[in-house]
């Protein structure tokens, strides 16, 4: 019976692929014809623009012809683009036309639908494949057999799901199929998760789980918070969510109106293939550092990685308290209260021209102070700018009769005069006045730029004044020292990360700027690495955007102070918005033994559910600090023989660099740093914080020693390290293993006497 079903389904696959191939051939021919037509129309457009336009009648006729040709060019290009998209979709579908089938019943009528990564309709307008993002496709992901309700454009629709069938198809051949009552059967997951990793993340459309589908299709939340354990698929689900939103809002939403904040450039490159594999353009991507760097021209903003490395050397309790204070949302409220004081005047500086004061800071301050006391800082600032521009215009008018202007007019050639007039016609006196004004405006352009770009406001000095005025949670001498350190950093053209969002908040509150109204969706990965202040500032910067926040409080590697891990703290940040939270507690990435080991490292790891995928237990080897090299080389050589990707994870960048220097002559390894943008197959060495969000076939945790991991906060780092491994985890301790590992039950790992044939101690 099963073989008969397989043959029938294979026959359908063959028939669908045959229709796709025929359609692809037709589309290719049409696209070639469309390209020829586009070329012809563009050539005709070029000829139309060269027609004689001396006579009025000729000019009118030519303008009409040009407009007509423009429309023809636009239509020809649009046709070619549409055909190109269809060709891409067909080529993407051919190897695997679909991955699922549902048999449903509605109002006594039976229907069978096949689900794939794109829609395919035959010449008779029959849907042979439904896009996974179609409303009815949610039955495949969310439904078990029996009544199922899905959201259609007309409202909720209830159908009876009689059967759900799942396929594994490779190059047009069914390699496996089975009927299931589950969302996605374990057999499919076992096959997909058991495959080798790659340098780029793949889409998970065929294995989306119900809770992931809820994330993908949520269109009601203003802020969607996804708290997911390592390997739970939260990032993958977020990328499928991008594709879903683009599919359902095609006319009103473009990929350029969405931005994904990635933890680093390695991760951004790692996920770059997911959306194109679904036929969508990648969204804008940025790291928080890149976002800040564009807003602090000429100033180096400390990165999260730089701060982490500095913190490893020691972070005094007072410094921790100051950081937590600055990173809370309430700190931004304190800035608002500071600016709301009626007598508050920002720190202005002189506007100069050619080394001389043009508008004095005292003059600007008086203009600002003269504004209505009840006005906001932004309104006062805008009125101040307008007043300065009005005064600039007066001075431009007064300067037209200055000697230097008249001298330039007298020496101006007729050619330069004609160029400046640009076809304008004046009476002789008016022409001279026009040229004089042009010269003055050109000379005074730096002043206009200074006003327009707010260069007369020194926001850094103003922030320093705020630091002196705010009530700090530490003794006055400690806070004074921190304020002095801020000013010293400015002298060195650097800014601490904890101060970046508050300085921007202060600047925008004064100037009324810094807002992007075009962005409609913002995705933030590794949200546990963002402070409340940073999250609130991003919401301010993109006020019309819905936000999707992805994170895992258990992977708090950076310990950057007060973290917004709870739903209550998120509601504080996004007050007044609809906040939905989804928790993903099942880990799919690693084998069960690795997941069980990793979750045991945590104080509250019992809630994590391991996916039932067999594998070897993690290995722990203790090597002498002065003689580990041969054993490590042998281990990496063995792992590389059977794995596409092997990662050696260290605690910090300095250890990674030294280890790379030691191994590079004997093992083909690549050192990855925060400056790298591309993932590699083979063996890579990198600090553990750069590996967040990434996964590897095998992971070697280097120097998991008592001297390196001994604090309670190190549990999160070790957990993050362990959960990067898909199927093999080897932990190498030097002299003595971390007490956090030694305290685990012996049944969770193997203490190996040799590692790759070399005896351990």
């Amino acid at each position: 019976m099963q073989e008969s079903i397989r043959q029938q389904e294979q026959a359908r696959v063959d028939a669908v692929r045959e229709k796709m191939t025929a359609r692809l051939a037709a589309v290719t021919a049409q696209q070639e014809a469309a390209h020829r037509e586009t070329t012809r129309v563009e050539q005709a457009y070029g000829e139309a623009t060269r027609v004689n336009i001396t006579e009025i009648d000729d000019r009118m006729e030519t303008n009409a012809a040009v407009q007509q040709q423009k429309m023809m060019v636009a239509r020809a290009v649009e046709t070619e683009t549409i055909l190109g998209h269809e060709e891409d979709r067909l080529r993407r579908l051919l190897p695997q036309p679909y991955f699922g089938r549902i048999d449903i019943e509605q109002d006594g009528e039976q229907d069978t639908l096949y689900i794939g990564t794109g829609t395919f309709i035959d010449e008779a307008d029959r849907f042979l494949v439904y896009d996974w993002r179609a409303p009815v496709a949610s039955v495949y992901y969310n439904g078990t057999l029996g009544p199922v309700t899905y959201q259609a454009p007309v409202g909720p629709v209830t159908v009876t799901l009689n059967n759900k069938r799942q396929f594994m198809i490779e190059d047009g051949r069914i390699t496996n199929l089975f009927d299931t009552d589950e969302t996605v059967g374990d057999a499919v997951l076992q096959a997909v998760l058991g495959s080798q990793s790659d340098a780029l993340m793949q889409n998970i459309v065929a294995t989306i789980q119900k809770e992931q589908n809820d994330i993908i299709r949520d269109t009601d939340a203003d802020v969607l918070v996804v708290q997911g354990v390592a390997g739970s698929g939260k990032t993958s689900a977020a990328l499928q969510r991008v594709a879903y939103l683009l599919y359902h809002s095609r006319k009103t939403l473009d990929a350029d109106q969405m931005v994904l904040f990635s933890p680093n450039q390695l991760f951004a490159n790692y996920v770059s293939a997911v959306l194109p594999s679904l036929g969508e353009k990648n969204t804008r991507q940025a790291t928080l550092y890149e976002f800040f760097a564009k807003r602090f021209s000429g100033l180096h903003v400390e990165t999260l990685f730089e701060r982490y490395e500095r913190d490893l050397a020691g972070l005094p309790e007072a410094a921790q308290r100051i950081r937590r204070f600055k990173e809370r949302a309430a700190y931004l409220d304190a800035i608002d209260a500071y600016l709301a004081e009626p007598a508050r005047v920002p720190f202005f500086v002189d506007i100069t021209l050619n080394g001389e004061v043009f508008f004095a800071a005292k003059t600007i301050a008086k203009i600002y102070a003269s504004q209505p006391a009840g006005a906001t800082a932004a309104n006062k600032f805008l009125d101040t700018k307008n007043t300065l521009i009005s005064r600039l215009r007066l001075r431009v008018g007064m300067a037209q009769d200055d000697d230097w202007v008249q001298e330039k007019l007298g020496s101006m050639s007729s050619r330069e005069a004609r160029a400046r007039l640009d076809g304008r016609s004046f009476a002789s006196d008016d022409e001279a006045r026009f040229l004089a004004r042009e010269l003055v405006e050109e000379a005074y352009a730096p002043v206009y730029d200074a006003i327009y770009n707010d260069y007369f406001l020194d926001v850094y000095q103003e922030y320093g004044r705020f630091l002196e005025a705010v009530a700090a949670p530490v003794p006055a001498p400690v806070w004074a020292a921190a304020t002095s350190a801020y000013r010293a950093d400015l002298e060195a053209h650097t800014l601490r990360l904890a101060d970046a969002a508050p300085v921007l908040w202060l600047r925008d509150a004064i100037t009324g700027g810094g807002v992007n109204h075009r962005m409609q969706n913002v995705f933030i990965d590794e949200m546990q690495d963002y402070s409340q202040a940073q999250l609130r500032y991003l919401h301010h910067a993109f006020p019309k955007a819905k936000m999707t926040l992805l994170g895992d409080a258990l992977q708090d590697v950076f310990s950057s102070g007060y973290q917004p891990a709870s739903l209550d703290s998120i509601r504080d940040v996004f007050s007044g918005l609809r906040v939905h939270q989804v928790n993903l507690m099942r880990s799919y990435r690693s084998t069960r033994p690795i997941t069980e080991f990793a979750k045991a490292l945590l104080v509250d790891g019992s809630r994590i559910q391991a996916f039932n995928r067999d594998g070897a237990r993690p290995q722990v080897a203790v090597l002498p600090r002065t003689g580990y090299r041969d054993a490590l080389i042998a281990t990496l050589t063995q792992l590389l023989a059977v794995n596409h990707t092997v990662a050696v994870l260290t605690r910090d960048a300095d250890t990674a660099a030294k280890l790379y220097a030691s191994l590079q002559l004997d093992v083909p390894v690549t050192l990855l740093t925060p400056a790298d943008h591309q993932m590699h197959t083979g063996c890579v060495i990198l600090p553990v914080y750069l590996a967040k969000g990434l996964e590897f076939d095998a992971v070697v945790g280097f120097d998991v020693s008592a001297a390196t991991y001994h604090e309670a906060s190190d549990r999160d780092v070790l957990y993050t390290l362990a959960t990067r491994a898909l199927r093999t985890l080897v932990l190498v301790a030097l002299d003595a293993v971390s007490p956090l590992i030694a305290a685990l039950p012996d049944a969770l790992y193997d203490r190996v006497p040799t590692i790759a044939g070399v005896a351990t101690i």
Side-chain angles (χ1 to χ4, degrees), residues 348 359-372 380 383-388 391:
F348 294 121
F359 287 126
K362 290 182 179 180
T363 300
I364 301 172
K366 287 181 180 179
I367 296 171
Y368 184 94
S370 69
Q371 306 303 320
K380 291 179 182 179
D383 288 343
T384 300
K385 287 180 68 171
N386 289 336
T387 300
L388 290 174
R391 293 189 180 186

Side-chain angles (χ1 to χ4, degrees), residues 206-527:
T207 58
I208 292 171
Q209 302 294 292
K210 181 182 185 303
E211 62 272 20
Q212 295 167 337
N213 193 51
D214 292 339
I215 294 167
I216 292 167
R217 296 174 186 263
D218 187 328
T219 57
D220 294 329
D222 296 319
V223 181
L224 179 61
V225 182
V226 182
Q227 286 280 2
V229 299
S232 58
K234 54 186 177 293
T235 301
S236 296
L239 292 168
Q240 320 301 314
R241 174 172 169 79
V242 172
Y244 177 84
L245 293 173
L246 289 171
Y247 176 84
H248 280 272
S249 304
R250 188 72 67 191
K251 294 181 179 179
T252 59
L253 181 64
D254 184 80
D256 288 336
Q257 294 173 291
M258 311 173 88
V259 61
L260 168 63
F261 281 91
S262 300
N264 53 62
Q265 282 296 341
L266 281 174
F267 181 84
N269 176 262
Y270 177 61
V271 303
S272 63
V274 173
L275 287 169
S277 74
L278 298 172
E280 300 293 352
K281 189 174 73 170
N282 270 320
T283 66
R284 296 172 181 266
Q285 287 202 47
T287 64
L288 185 65
Y289 170 74
E290 290 171 330
F291 177 82
F292 283 149
K294 289 182 178 180
R295 287 154 179 79
F296 290 105
S297 179
L299 201 63
H300 173 71
V301 181
E302 177 186 48
T303 69
L304 194 59
F305 308 133
E306 290 169 343
R307 185 168 80 175
Y308 172 84
E309 297 280 355
R310 180 166 51 82
D311 287 353
L312 286 178
L315 184 64
E317 173 59 28
Q320 294 183 44
R321 291 173 63 188
I322 290 172
R323 181 181 297 174
R324 287 194 292 268
F325 175 60
K326 290 182 176 181
E327 292 193 333
R328 290 189 171 120
Y331 188 65
L332 303 185
D333 294 334
I335 291 176
D336 291 339
Y338 167 83
L339 291 176
E341 296 174 12
R344 178 71 57 195
V345 176
F347 194 105
F348 294 121
V349 295
D350 296 338
I351 297 176
T352 61
L353 180 66
N354 300 325
E356 296 182 358
V357 175
F358 196 94
F359 287 126
K362 290 182 179 180
T363 300
I364 301 172
K366 287 181 180 179
I367 296 171
Y368 184 94
S370 69
Q371 306 303 320
T376 64
N379 284 337
K380 291 179 182 179
F381 190 81
L382 178 60
D383 288 343
T384 300
K385 287 180 68 171
N386 289 336
T387 300
L388 290 174
I389 290 174
S390 295
R391 293 189 180 186
L392 173 61
R393 287 171 179 162
L394 286 174
R395 293 185 64 169
V396 167
M398 294 168 58
Q400 293 177 35
D401 295 322
D402 287 355
D403 292 343
W404 68 269
V405 178
Q406 298 306 313
E407 289 177 6
K408 278 199 170 186
L409 280 176
S411 62
M412 185 180 295
S413 68
S414 58
R415 175 177 293 181
E416 182 183 351
R418 285 196 303 271
R420 288 181 176 276
L421 290 171
D422 192 25
R424 297 179 182 86
S425 179
F426 299 98
S428 58
D429 290 346
D430 291 339
E431 180 177 294
R433 297 297 294 175
F434 174 83
L435 292 174
R437 188 173 188 86
E438 282 274 299
L439 291 172
V440 176
E441 287 181 348
E442 187 177 279
Y444 287 2
V447 177
Y448 179 81
D449 288 343
I451 299 171
Y452 182 81
N453 293 302
D454 307 332
Y455 294 155
F456 58 95
L457 169 68
D458 191 332
V459 70
Y460 304 112
Q461 293 297 331
E462 184 61 25
Y463 183 69
R465 297 204 303 194
F466 164 74
L467 291 176
E468 294 170 351
V470 70
V474 293
V478 175
W479 185 253
T483 302
S484 297
Y486 160 77
R487 297 188 186 279
D489 286 341
L490 280 185
E491 290 294 324
H493 302 287
T494 62
L495 185 68
R496 295 290 175 94
L497 182 58
D499 291 313
V503 169
L504 288 177
W505 184 272
L506 176 67
R507 182 202 67 182
D508 294 353
I510 295 174
T511 65
V515 175
N516 184 328
H517 290 285
R518 187 170 182 270
M519 287 296 168
Q520 294 191 32
N521 288 91
V522 173
F523 294 77
I524 298 176
D525 209 347
E526 303 292 348
M527 78 167 185

Side-chain angles (χ1 to χ4, degrees), residues 47 83 222 347 375 403 535 604:
E47 292 173 0
L83 289 170
D222 296 319
F347 194 105
D403 292 343
L535 288 177
D604 188 23

Side-chain angles (χ1 to χ4, degrees), residues 4 28 75 77 83 89 114 172 247 311 340 373 453 516 540 650 723:
S4 173
T28 302
R75 283 197 298 267
V77 170
L83 289 170
R89 185 177 72 254
Y114 287 81
Y247 176 84
D311 287 353
N453 293 302
N516 184 328
H540 154 79
T650 65
T723 53

Side-chain angles (χ1 to χ4, degrees), residues 577-611:
L577 300 180
R578 291 168 297 182
V579 180
H580 295 179
Q581 178 164 334
V582 179
N583 296 314
L584 303 177
M585 301 308 299
R586 195 178 193 195
S587 179
Y588 298 97
R589 174 184 294 136
S590 307
T591 60
R592 175 179 284 277
I594 293 175
T595 301
E596 295 293 347
F597 173 86
K599 75 181 201 178
L601 289 165
L602 303 170
V603 175
D604 188 23
S606 59
R607 297 178 298 123
I608 299 173
Q609 304 164 23
F611 179 67

